[in-house]
Each structure stands twice: as structure tokens, then as C-alpha cells.
Amino acid sequence: MSTAATPHSARRAARRVSVLAGAALVGSALTLATATASAQAAAPAPPSAPAGTARYVALGDSYAAGAGVPAQSAGLCLRSDRNYGHLVAAALAPSAYVDRTCTGAKVSALTTPQTDAGTVVNGPQLDAVTSDTSLVTLTLGGNDMGTSDVGFVDVVAVCTSLALTDPLGSPCRDFYGDTLGRRLDSAAARLTDGLRTLSARAPRAKVVVVGYPSVLPDDPSACLGKLPVTTGDLRFLRSVIGELNEKTAGAAAAAGAAYADTLGPTRGHDSCSPSPWIEGVLPTSPAAPLHPNAPGQRAMAEAVLRALGR
């Protein structure tokens, strides 16, 4: 069934709840960031390295920034000193490490400033890439699924609101139809263009596009009582994450970049598992809702190092 077949009242409710839930989830991340700000003084200094080794630049959205994982910096970017970029830098010991990741970033953030209420939160991320850059990692595309800056979480909020309209069906899948697929196609095309622009700026750089982890389990019954979405829509959301990764990997291949799979390595540690590396809607350890916690960021860093042959 297409979006047009969804009752008008349900669509209107979906939009309202999407905005409110998205704001609440981001607010949760901001609360976590505030609560952990005092830990910043104890954070280790960036890794030092012998002269002449690689200049490494990390780009991307909240999954790359490590939103909510202490210690946080860069204001609304919610950038963690334990995100996968920092962990990769610690392993590689580059001569310079630059982190331009930022929560809420869409693919457009590569070339345009990221703003909040008219205020610039983060400059164009590609501005950090220079001709002497030899390694770039980035995670982007997930936020392009939603109409707000919380991307996939925005979609989950819509699915939550629609669950009451058809508890035994797949009302969210019916609501979106092929909308998310078309949004992902558009985001993948823009990501390919952005990666080509990146390579033109740093022609000798190794570029690694880092995929999204296993936010949801293969078996939707594992989320019963943990995520207020119908069983049918849990399967739908799981397929959307898979499609996001497939199209992100395709964009990487089209631009000659490497791809680091994080879906497989985090399987079994999803947001509904007994040992989550991705937090649930109500996080139990410091991280934004439905985002990697500290172990999740470590798993993503290990995936990057594998892609680099380390």
C-alpha cells in the first residue's frame, strides 16, 4: 500500500510524533553530553606520532562522531574522544589527526556548512581535507532518510507512532512505500559525487567509507517490549538498514573508495540484545539512542583497521 492509502489522520500523527520523538531522542543525547562534559579534563591527549607518517581526517555523522559517548566536545556536534576515528588514530599514530565529524550531518555537510537554527555548527567537512591528507574515513547517508536531522531515528519515531494504527501489520512500511529507497538512491548519488570531490582534493589519500552497524536484530521477536514497533515493521526497518549499507557500499565502489562493513561484526550486539553495542531507545550506557556505545565504537574502529589490512 502506498503513502496515499494511509489515512490522513495517521500521516498527520506520524509527522507530529516524528518531530517530538526525534527532538526527545536528540535531547537524550544532549543530556548525556552535558552529564559527561566534566570528564573532558581527564581525556587523553590526541595520539602523538613520528614525523612523516600519515595525516588522517575523520568525517561523518553521529555514528562517526560517537554521539553521547564520553568525553564529548564540539558543542552540538556531540563529538567523542572515544569515537572510532580517535581509536583508529590511536592504532595508526598519524602525524596529524583531524576530526570533523558532527551529529546531524547529511551528505550535503561534505560541501556546505551544517547549521542549527541559523547558527553554523560545523563548517563544510571537506574543508579539512588537504592535498597532504593520506587517510580519510567517513560515515554518511543515514540522516538523509529522514526529514529531520536525526535521520533513521526520525523513521523509527514514525514507525512507533503508526504501530497503534495497525498493531498486527506493517503500517510504517505501508506509509513509506518506496520513499526511503528513493531517498537512499539520491543520497548515494550525492555521496559518490562527494567522494570524487574528496579524491580530487587529496589524490593520494586512502578513503574508507564506514558502514552502519547492526542496530536491529535479525529476529524481530528479540525486540518485543524493548522497541514499540510492530513485528512487521521491525523487519522493514532491518531491511532499510541493509539497503542503506548496500547503497553506501555501492557509492564507495563507484568512487574508488574502500568500504568497511560494520553490520556483520556487530550482529548479535544490536540494540535489543542482552549485550548491546548499539543502545536502545532508552540508553542504559552513555550513547545517543539507537547509536553505538563505547564497545560499538571499538567494533567500528576494528572494522576500519581490517579494511586497511591491519
Side-chain angles (χ1 to χ4, degrees):
M1 183 170 69
S2 67
T3 301
T6 305
H8 179 68
S9 58
R11 293 201 305 273
R12 191 166 57 244
R15 294 190 189 100
R16 287 199 302 268
V17 175
S18 172
V19 172
L20 293 174
L25 293 174
V26 170
S28 174
L30 288 170
T31 300
L32 285 166
T34 301
T36 59
S38 61
Q40 293 183 35
S48 59
T53 55
R55 182 177 188 270
Y56 169 27
V57 178
L59 311 175
D61 58 22
S62 54
Y63 281 73
V69 178
Q72 297 274 282
S73 65
L76 292 178
C77 283
L78 300 178
R79 195 178 293 152
S80 172
D81 69 349
R82 296 293 189 278
N83 61 28
Y84 73 73
H86 274 80
L87 299 177
V88 169
L92 299 180
S95 58
Y97 172 60
V98 181
D99 188 346
R100 287 294 179 268
T101 59
C102 191
T103 294
K106 298 188 178 186
V107 174
S108 59
L110 287 174
T111 55
T112 59
Q114 191 176 333
T115 61
D116 182 84
T119 300
V120 174
V121 173
N122 204 36
Q125 294 192 16
L126 285 184
D127 284 0
V129 177
T130 53
S131 60
D132 62 339
T133 299
S134 54
L135 174 64
V136 179
T137 58
L138 74 159
T139 300
L140 282 170
N143 286 333
D144 290 79
M145 280 193 289
T147 55
S148 74
D149 287 343
V150 293
F152 181 71
V153 178
D154 182 26
V155 174
V156 173
V158 172
C159 293
T160 299
S161 70
L162 290 173
L164 296 176
T165 69
D166 187 6
L168 301 179
S170 303
C172 193
R173 182 190 64 195
D174 297 339
F175 176 81
Y176 279 111
D178 64 352
T179 297
L180 298 183
R182 287 187 281 107
R183 289 177 183 172
L184 288 175
D185 284 337
S186 178
R190 293 194 303 275
L191 180 57
T192 300
D193 289 342
L195 290 169
R196 288 171 176 160
T197 300
L198 189 164
S199 293
R201 293 190 179 202
R204 292 185 295 277
K206 174 76 171 181
V207 180
V208 182
V209 176
V210 184
Y212 290 85
S214 184
V215 178
L216 299 173
D218 294 330
D219 180 7
S221 66
C223 288
L224 291 176
K226 297 180 180 179
L227 193 63
V229 176
T230 71
T231 297
D233 281 337
L234 282 168
R235 291 193 183 94
F236 166 67
L237 290 172
R238 187 70 169 77
S239 72
V240 168
I241 296 171
E243 186 177 5
L244 167 62
N245 278 321
E246 288 172 5
K247 291 181 177 177
T248 301
Y259 179 75
D261 168 50
T262 65
L263 187 69
T266 56
R267 185 170 277 116
H269 295 280
D270 54 81
S271 62
C272 297
S273 78
S275 178
W277 293 350
I278 294 88
E279 290 299 313
V281 172
L282 298 175
T284 58
S285 66
L290 302 178
H291 280 66
N293 51 27
Q297 288 291 329
R298 284 197 297 272
M300 294 179 78
E302 289 166 2
V304 173
L305 292 170
R306 282 193 296 273
L308 293 171
R310 299 298 182 109

